[in-house]
Amino acid sequence: MYAVQQALALSAWEEDVMGVPAWKSLPSWYLVAQNDEAIPPDAERQFAQRMGATTIEIPSSHVAMVSHPAEVADLVEKAAASVGAAASR
């Protein structure tokens, strides 16, 4: 993970107008890391609720994909299967 982290581009501080967020029209999934110290778990829950996301919670820190890879992979697989099932209708 360290090898791909970079400083923010200067353009991140410019006031670009963004379009409509995808979660407003597409299904969403969210993993709440209950022990996250970078993003408060209550904020994560609020984000998930606002987007109407299918949500799971795990007792993990900010990098759940490292400490709980099976649970993260399961969530991704369920999301992919759900989207795939909807597309084939």
Side-chain angles (χ1 to χ4, degrees):
M1 292 182 327
Y2 170 78
V4 298
Q5 290 183 347
Q6 303 174 28
L8 286 174
L10 289 177
S11 62
W13 304 109
E14 295 174 8
E15 292 190 34
D16 288 338
V17 176
M18 299 196 54
V20 177
W23 57 261
K24 287 196 172 193
S25 61
L26 298 172
S28 301
W29 289 261
Y30 202 103
L31 185 145
V32 173
Q34 296 170 333
N35 302 321
D36 199 330
E37 293 184 16
I39 303 172
D42 284 341
E44 294 179 20
R45 290 180 189 101
Q46 184 181 16
F47 301 153
Q49 182 180 19
R50 181 176 60 185
M51 56 175 86
T54 299
T55 306
I56 66 166
E57 295 199 19
I58 59 172
S60 174
S61 66
H62 188 67
V63 288
M65 72 292 272
V66 173
S67 60
H68 293 80
E71 292 94 330
V72 173
D74 185 53
L75 179 63
V76 172
E77 288 173 352
K78 285 180 180 173
S82 177
V83 171
S88 66
R89 291 183 197 158

